[in-house]
Amino acid sequence: MSAPAHMSSRGWWPTALVILGGFAFAWLIMQQDLWASVLGQLFPGARSPVYPVPLVDLTLQHLALVGISSGLTILVGIPLGIWVTRASGRDFRDIVAAGVDFGQTFPPIAVLAIMMPILGFGLRPAVVALFLYGLFPVVSNTVAGLEAVPEALKDAARGMGMKRLQILGRVELPLAARIIMAGVRTSVIVNIGTATVAAAVGAGGLGDPIIGGIQVQNLAYVLEGALVAALLAILADMTLARAEELVTPRGLG
Amino acid sequence: MIRLDNVVKRYGDTTAVDGVSFEVPTGEVCVLIGPSGCGKTTTLRMINRLIEPSGGTIEVDGRDIMSARPEELRRHIGYVIQSVGLFPHLTVADNIATVPRLLGWKDERIKPRIGELLELVGLDPDEYAGKYPRQLSGGEAQRIGVARALAADPPVLLMDEPFGAVDPLNRGHLQGEFARIQRELKKTVIFVTHDVDEAIRLADRIALMRDGRLQQYDTPEALLDHPANKFVHDFMGADRALKRLGRVLVGDAMRTDIEVARILDAGDIDRDACGDARFVYLVDGNGLLRGWVDCHDLDEGRSIDDAVTEIDWREASVAPDISLKDALSTMIGLGFRSIPVTESGTLVGSITLSSIEATMTSSDSHITQLSGETLSSEEPS
C-alpha cells in the first residue's frame, strides 16, 4: 500500500524544521546578555535596555497564560461545536453561534475590566477573557467542518450499521479534522498576541515589558516584549500548520 | 426472503407510503420503480430502518425488523447508494472492511475476504486495495460500493439507484456485472431505479409504485403484457417488443457457429477462405477481430477489396453482457444486418437481425406461458 508521491508533505523534514525552530527560539530567549547588548545599541538613551524580569520567565508565563486559556477554548469549543451539530443540540446552534460571535467582538480589554471586580487581579480574569475571545474560531470551524461532511457519507455509515458515536469518531471527525485544526490554529495565534494585554491585570507574560515600557517610556522594553511575542506566534503558527497536515487523513491529501 | 405487509409511512398529514405489501422470494431481484416521489426510496429505506415505518410489518428472512436494534439489523443487510458513499479518508480495503470490523471479525479473516470481493467485482486486489476513493473512476467506485455492501456476506442487499450517477455506457457494463454477480451469489435484492430499461433488464419481479401505492407487482413480462391499469401501461412505455429485448443478453442469443479465418494481412485473403459460409470473420495474429469477408459478394464476382470490411472492434462489435436491445440499437446505428460479438476484442459469436427476430418470437411464447401464473397485483383504489 504505497502513498502517492505528491504526499511528500508527510515526510519527516517539515516536522524536523518545526522542532529546529523551537530549539532556536528557546536558545534565543535564554540569551539575556545578547538582548541587552543589541537593544542597548538600538536604544543608546535607555537607562536599562532589557526588562528586569528574565525573558525566559516572561515567555514561560506567557506560554502558561496561552496554554491554559487556549486549552480551555479547545476543551470547551470542540465539544460545543459537536453538540450543536447533533440532533440534541441543533436547536441551540444559532444561540451558540451568536454567543461565541459576541465573545469575539467584545474587546478583551473590556472583558478584563469587567472580570476584575469579580475575579480579582492576576491570572484568572486574564484566562477568562482570552478563553472567551478565542472560542469563536474553534466553535465555528468545528461546526463548519462537521457540516461539510456529505450527507451521503453519513447515510452510508448509518446504513452499514454504525452507531452515532462510531459515525462521529470514524467518519465525521476524521473528515472535519483539518478544518477544526485550522480553527484551533487561528485561535491560538490570535491568543498569543492578545495575551499581551493581560499584563494590564497583572497576569504577567510578554505583555509586562510592553506595558511597563509604555509606562516608563522605555521603547527597548516594548520592542523586547513585542519581538518575542511575534516570534512565539510565528513558531506556534508553524507548529499548528504542521499539526493540521498531520491530522488530515491521507485519502484527502 | 423479504416480506412487506401493509407498510405505511406518514409524515404529518402526508402519506409517503400507503399500505404496500409484497414478498421477495430468497435469491430474487425485486426492482422498485416509479416516478419521483412515488415512495420507492422510502419503502427501501424502511427495510433497514433508516426510516422507521409508521405502520405494517416488514420481515427479513422471517424476522420482524423491529425485533432487533437498527444497527444490528443493518449490519446484516447490504446497502448501496447512488452516490456510492465511499469514505474518502479510508483506503479501498478499509472501506470494504467496514462492516466486518463492526461485526468484530478478526484481521486474518478480513484480509482474504477483501481480495475475494475485489476479484468478484472484477478489480485486481493488488492494484486497488491500497487506493483511496479519489483515485478511482466512477465505475470503479461503484464496484467498490457493491463489494463493500457484500463484505459480510449479507443474505439481503438493498440498492438505491446504484448506477444512477454513472454514464450510460458504464451503466450497461455495471448492470451486466451485477447480473453476473447475482447469478453467482443469489442474494435477495431490492433495487430502486427510475429507469424502466434497467428494471426490465435486472428484475425477477418489478414493483411499480405511484403516489405511495403499489400499482403492480409481477414479472417484467407480465407488466409489459398484462398491465394492471393504464398507469402501468403508460409507465412501461409503448415499445414493448423492444423492451422485451432488454431482458435478453447478447451472450445468450448469439450464434457461435461462425467461420473464422486467421489472417496477418488483408492481402492474404482468397476465395478459398469462404467455403460454404456466408460471412468469414478475420482475426489477426493477436486474436483480435479485424473485419470480415462477405462471401456472397465474392460469389457474385466482386473483387476481394469490395468484399472485405475492415473494422475496429471497439466501434463495430458488441459485448456479450449487453442486452439485445442495446445490440440492436448499435446495429441500426452502424447500418449492419449482423454484428460480431467480442470480449475485449476476441471474437466469441455473432448476432444477426434474424436471430433477434427469433428471440422476439420465442419470448412471446414464454410470456403466454407466464400469464397463466400472474402473481398478486394490487389495483389502485
Side-chain angles (χ1 to χ4, degrees):
Chain A
M1 304 200 184
S2 59
H6 69 269
M7 283 182 178
S8 55
S9 70
R10 289 179 185 276
W12 55 271
W13 60 268
T15 311
L17 206 67
V18 168
I19 293 170
L20 205 68
F23 277 118
F25 178 78
W27 177 83
L28 196 65
I29 58 166
M30 286 192 282
Q31 308 308 307
Q32 197 74 13
D33 296 340
L34 180 71
W35 284 89
S37 77
V38 172
L39 287 169
Q41 278 171 8
L42 282 174
F43 301 95
R47 245 176 304 132
S48 125
V50 284
Y51 197 67
V53 181
L55 257 181
V56 179
D57 293 0
L58 292 173
T59 307
L60 287 177
Q61 281 170 16
H62 202 82
L63 279 175
L65 195 57
V66 171
I68 295 169
S69 55
S70 279
L72 280 175
T73 300
I74 293 164
L75 280 178
V76 173
I78 294 177
L80 198 61
I82 293 172
W83 178 60
V84 298
T85 56
R86 303 300 101 182
S88 60
R90 192 148 288 154
D91 294 343
F92 299 90
R93 189 185 176 285
D94 293 340
I95 301 171
V96 169
V100 295
D101 200 9
F102 182 71
Q104 203 185 31
T105 47
F106 212 73
I109 192 92
V111 179
L112 287 176
I114 295 165
M115 286 299 162
M116 260 219 301
I118 308 165
L119 297 171
F121 215 58
L123 199 64
R124 280 199 294 175
V127 165
V128 171
L130 293 174
F131 158 72
L132 290 176
Y133 194 62
L135 214 46
F136 176 75
V138 174
V139 175
S140 66
N141 275 40
T142 303
V143 172
L146 291 172
E147 284 182 346
V149 177
E151 209 51 51
L153 290 185
K154 292 184 258 183
D155 187 51
R158 259 183 353 121
M160 283 189 288
M162 283 195 200
K163 294 176 186 169
R164 267 180 267 174
L165 274 180
Q166 288 172 325
I167 297 172
L168 178 67
R170 297 187 193 191
V171 180
E172 293 180 87
L173 285 178
L175 291 176
R178 176 164 42 182
I179 298 175
I180 296 175
M181 205 56 211
V184 168
R185 179 174 161 199
T186 308
S187 175
V188 171
I189 306 305
V190 170
N191 193 352
I192 290 172
T194 314
T196 53
V197 174
V201 291
L206 293 165
D208 258 7
I210 297 175
I211 289 173
I214 293 168
Q215 279 165 353
V216 301
Q217 294 189 355
N218 184 341
L219 284 182
Y221 288 181
V222 176
L223 189 66
E224 182 190 352
L227 215 56
V228 177
L231 286 174
L232 188 60
I234 291 169
L235 184 66
D237 191 41
M238 277 171 61
T239 310
L240 292 170
R242 184 70 195 132
E244 217 174 292
E245 281 167 14
L246 291 179
V247 299
T248 306
R250 268 168 193 264
L252 303 182
Chain B
M1 192 210 39
I2 302 169
R3 205 170 63 80
L4 280 76
D5 187 16
N6 201 20
V7 172
V8 175
K9 179 64 194 179
R10 280 185 217 93
Y11 292 103
D13 288 341
T14 56
T15 306
V17 175
D18 192 359
V20 166
S21 307
F22 62 86
E23 193 175 309
V24 187
T26 303
E28 286 203 359
V29 178
C30 163
V31 173
L32 272 173
I33 193 169
S36 46
C38 70
K40 54 188 191 292
T41 296
T42 308
T43 304
L44 182 88
R45 289 166 68 88
M46 282 194 279
I47 296 166
N48 65 358
R49 289 179 68 187
L50 285 171
I51 294 174
E52 295 283 352
S54 318
T57 52
I58 301 176
E59 281 174 21
V60 174
D61 287 333
R63 273 187 74 194
D64 190 325
I65 58 159
M66 302 310 284
S67 65
R69 285 211 327 275
E71 289 85 9
E72 212 47 54
L73 174 80
R74 289 173 199 148
R75 287 171 195 179
H76 296 95
I77 296 179
Y79 184 50
V80 186
I81 56 177
Q82 180 180 352
S83 51
V84 193
L86 291 184
F87 300 131
H89 59 302
L90 299 180
T91 60
V92 163
D94 287 331
N95 265 288
I96 294 174
T98 306
V99 178
R101 291 215 173 104
L102 288 170
L103 290 169
W105 288 20
K106 297 264 184 301
D107 273 352
E108 51 266 39
R109 187 174 167 202
I110 295 174
K111 222 176 163 263
R113 181 71 184 147
I114 292 166
E116 220 174 276
L117 285 157
L118 282 171
E119 270 166 23
L120 178 74
V121 297
L123 298 172
D124 175 17
D126 292 332
E127 190 187 341
Y128 283 90
K131 284 197 177 191
Y132 285 97
R134 71 188 159 87
Q135 299 167 303
L136 304 171
S137 71
E140 287 167 348
Q142 198 49 265
R143 284 180 175 85
I144 306 290
V146 172
R148 183 173 68 171
L150 291 168
D153 203 15
V156 169
L157 207 54
L158 304 180
M159 307 177 87
D160 190 358
E161 302 210 27
F163 311 137
V166 185
D167 63 87
L169 186 70
N170 264 312
R171 194 182 311 153
H173 284 304
L174 286 169
Q175 286 166 353
E177 262 177 76
F178 170 74
R180 172 183 61 78
I181 291 169
Q182 172 60 10
R183 270 199 298 277
E184 202 173 310
L185 300 182
K186 295 246 168 280
K187 300 289 179 190
T188 310
V189 182
I190 297 194
F191 188 114
V192 166
T193 184
H194 59 261
D195 177 349
V196 178
D197 291 315
E198 185 168 75
I200 290 172
R201 174 162 183 195
L202 298 177
D204 291 307
R205 284 155 211 269
I206 293 177
L208 177 53
M209 292 181 69
R210 179 202 198 183
D211 296 336
R213 287 171 170 276
L214 189 65
Q215 302 295 311
Q216 189 168 0
Y217 178 57
D218 214 323
T219 60
E221 288 84 357
L223 264 80
L224 284 168
D225 293 310
H226 307 284
N229 56 45
K230 185 166 186 307
F231 173 76
V232 176
H233 175 273
D234 293 347
F235 192 88
M236 296 307 286
D239 53 340
R240 284 140 196 269
L242 267 182
K243 286 231 161 67
R244 241 180 270 133
L245 288 179
R247 292 282 286 165
V248 186
L249 292 184
V250 165
D252 296 332
M254 69 187 179
R255 293 180 47 182
T256 50
D257 55 335
I258 42 176
E259 299 290 326
V260 176
R262 190 164 292 272
I263 54 146
L264 298 173
D265 185 83
D268 295 347
I269 304 157
D270 56 38
R271 259 152 235 268
D272 300 340
C274 274
D276 295 334
R278 172 78 172 73
F279 277 101
V280 171
Y281 289 98
L282 304 173
V283 171
D284 71 11
N286 297 320
L288 296 180
L289 179 70
R290 293 286 295 279
W292 56 79
V293 191
D294 187 332
C295 297
H296 193 64
D297 280 358
L298 280 185
D299 292 344
E300 296 203 333
R302 270 175 250 241
S303 72
I304 290 200
D305 281 352
D306 283 344
V308 171
T309 310
E310 281 191 273
I311 54 125
D312 180 346
W313 64 268
R314 286 173 202 82
E315 285 154 19
S317 76
V318 293
D321 65 348
I322 73 165
S323 70
L324 271 191
K325 186 184 178 209
D326 293 342
L328 180 63
S329 131
T330 308
M331 287 166 73
I332 293 168
L334 294 166
F336 291 173
R337 297 185 56 81
S338 142
I339 193 164
V341 181
T342 58
E343 252 173 321
S344 316
T346 308
L347 185 69
V348 292
S350 86
I351 287 285
T352 59
L353 278 184
S354 52
S355 66
I356 291 176
E357 263 174 315
T359 309
M360 287 166 94
T361 334
S362 73
S363 68
D364 270 343
S365 60
H366 177 57
I367 285 154
T368 326
Q369 280 170 15
L370 266 177
S371 59
E373 43 167 312
T374 302
L375 287 140
S376 70
S377 56
E378 294 196 355
E379 290 291 332
S381 49

